[in-house]
Amino acid sequence: MKHIFKSTSKFLVATTLVIGLSTSALMAEVKNKFEVSWTIYVGFMPWDYAQQKGIVDKWAKKYDIEIDLVQVNDYIESINQYTAGKFDGCLMTNMDALTIPAAGGVDSTALIMGDFSNGNDGIILKGKKNLADIKGQSVNLVELSVSHYLLARGLESVGLSERDVKVINTSDADMVAAYSSSEVTALTPWNPQLSEIMGMKDANLVFDSSKIPGEIIDMLVLNTETMKDNPKFAKALTGAWFEVMALMKKGDKDALTFMSEASGTDLAGFKSQLDSTKMFYDASEAVEFAMGDALPATMKKVSEFSFDHGILGEGAPNAEFIGMEFPGGKTFGDTKNIKLRFDDTYIKMAAEGKL
């Protein structure tokens, strides 16, 4: 999955604390034009389809506003720009929402949790078939990313920890080439690199994200103040999303073909990636996921991992430094420092046909 937290972004977290606080105040106003940033990934492609086929425009016009979805080539850069106030919203994972905008002081809300990785991220061993065999090996992965988080969760499942391996920071673009090196024996890639490596000699998938369902979540995140002041913005985006979900649920070939080509693969390849992605095609499914007890528990794990790796924000004294708010009045962390919220208001409206 294209969910990367480069080490250079630590500097951004520190510098955006002040920027984030100021932009949050500046963005707190009624507007009629909005921009949302996104990057190519299987779970994000429905937004590109919605934009290109006029579905976003249709819903925006319904509420007398304008919405532009802007593609950014670099995933982390898209989140950095959102954090700095350039965009009103951005597509990102739950972990990155916590460690970049929230840790940078920008109050953000997950409007739509569209899917979670259900096999799109995995640990591969060369010539070995059991995860426990990873002990003592070097593991190539994108450091401080959800791949790093997946490794930590996998190690935990077999009684190991990161002390038992050595992490080698490797770009996602270099992952396939890295596997070809005789020195590389363990990797933690995401799709499409995961699938490509699995087709190579001696590659064994020993752990994947289906073993930790619901922990790597892809979300549409909005600036909280902008969302509060502009409910029409949230309604239009939610309506557009679930219109595309309805098409995908019934297997609309034109829609799926468009998404596959736009993401650089063929229809079979795109469907394969969808097979390892748990999409919430029905709004009622999204509501159930948002309301469940598993979400706060997951974010507690993510927060602890982020604190342990020094990416929860400058000066964070513990894993509860950043407060998070969930549906049903549930919270985690410092309730006086709520910077990440999971909202079910608009997905409930979609489920009830009230958009």
Side-chain angles (χ1 to χ4, degrees):
M1 299 175 73
K2 196 168 185 177
H3 309 320
I4 314 161
F5 193 107
K6 297 177 182 176
S7 57
T8 53
S9 294
K10 291 180 184 177
F11 174 73
L12 177 103
V13 170
T15 57
T16 54
L17 182 58
V18 176
I19 297 173
L21 293 172
S22 61
T23 55
S24 190
L26 289 172
M27 296 174 76
E29 60 182 356
V30 177
K31 302 165 57 173
N32 58 16
K33 293 184 179 181
F34 305 89
E35 288 189 326
V36 176
S37 59
W38 72 280
T39 48
I40 290 177
Y41 171 67
V42 58
F44 296 162
M45 298 316 296
W47 286 110
D48 186 36
Y49 179 82
Q51 170 92 343
Q52 299 299 328
K53 296 299 181 179
I55 296 173
V56 170
D57 285 344
K58 182 186 80 173
W59 281 89
K61 286 178 181 177
K62 177 179 180 178
Y63 293 105
D64 197 29
I65 59 176
E66 296 178 24
I67 301 173
D68 188 21
L69 297 177
V70 180
Q71 182 181 353
V72 178
N73 290 331
D74 183 88
Y75 170 72
I76 282 299
E77 182 59 23
S78 71
I79 306 176
N80 287 349
Q81 289 185 24
Y82 159 76
T83 303
K86 179 174 173 57
F87 294 103
D88 303 292
C90 179
L91 300 176
M92 65 186 80
T93 68
N94 51 322
M95 178 172 151
D96 294 322
L98 176 66
T99 61
I100 307 181
V106 179
D107 195 324
S108 298
T109 296
L111 173 70
I112 299 171
M113 288 178 281
D115 69 83
F116 63 75
S117 175
N118 199 32
N120 265 325
D121 303 73
I123 301 174
I124 293 174
L125 293 185
K126 185 184 291 183
K128 301 287 186 178
K129 296 184 178 181
N130 298 307
L131 178 56
D133 292 328
I134 201 171
K135 185 175 182 179
Q137 295 195 42
S138 294
V139 186
N140 293 70
L141 53 73
V142 178
E143 195 173 10
L144 305 179
S145 70
V146 290
S147 291
H148 200 155
Y149 174 78
L150 179 75
L151 173 66
R153 295 285 284 123
L155 291 170
E156 179 184 313
S157 73
V158 291
L160 300 175
S161 72
E162 286 186 59
R163 291 187 297 273
D164 296 304
V165 298
K166 181 181 179 182
V167 169
I168 305 295
N169 189 28
T170 307
S171 167
D172 60 314
D174 298 331
M175 204 66 71
V176 175
Y179 183 82
S180 300
S181 169
S182 60
E183 297 177 356
V184 174
T185 58
L187 308 90
T188 307
W190 54 71
N191 271 326
Q193 290 90 341
L194 175 65
S195 296
E196 189 171 350
I197 295 171
M198 280 305 299
M200 300 171 76
K201 184 181 179 181
D202 294 329
N204 295 301
L205 183 66
V206 295
F207 190 85
D208 66 35
S209 52
S210 67
K211 304 293 195 302
I212 53 168
E215 294 190 28
I216 300 176
I217 312 165
D218 294 301
M219 317 189 304
L220 169 60
V221 174
L222 304 185
N223 178 282
T224 299
E225 291 304 317
T226 299
M227 180 175 150
K228 284 182 179 179
D229 290 345
N230 299 274
K232 292 181 178 180
F233 178 41
K235 289 180 181 179
L237 287 169
T238 306
W241 175 257
F242 285 108
E243 180 171 334
V244 179
M245 288 300 99
L247 292 173
M248 294 179 70
K249 183 181 179 181
K250 69 179 185 180
D252 188 290
K253 187 174 181 180
D254 289 340
L256 293 174
T257 298
F258 176 94
M259 293 178 211
S260 65
E261 292 175 350
S263 62
T265 187
D266 57 17
L267 185 56
F270 190 71
K271 285 184 175 179
S272 176
Q273 292 181 42
L274 280 176
D275 287 342
S276 53
T277 307
K278 172 56 180 175
M279 302 292 300
F280 299 127
Y281 293 117
D282 294 319
S284 58
E285 289 182 288
V287 172
E288 183 179 359
F289 183 75
M291 292 291 294
D293 292 333
L295 181 59
T298 289
M299 292 311 300
K300 178 177 183 292
K301 292 188 188 83
V302 170
S303 189
E304 289 170 348
F305 171 88
S306 301
F307 174 71
D308 289 344
H309 289 78
I311 52 174
L312 200 59
E314 290 294 318
N318 53 52
E320 298 186 8
F321 174 61
I322 297 174
M324 290 179 270
E325 185 177 79
F326 306 90
K330 291 173 277 191
T331 61
F332 172 78
D334 188 352
T335 55
K336 295 180 180 179
N337 187 38
I338 300 286
K339 294 299 178 185
L340 183 58
R341 305 164 195 270
F342 296 82
D343 194 301
D344 65 346
T345 302
Y346 298 95
I347 54 175
K348 276 186 175 178
M349 293 175 70
E352 295 167 0
K354 294 181 179 180
L355 289 174

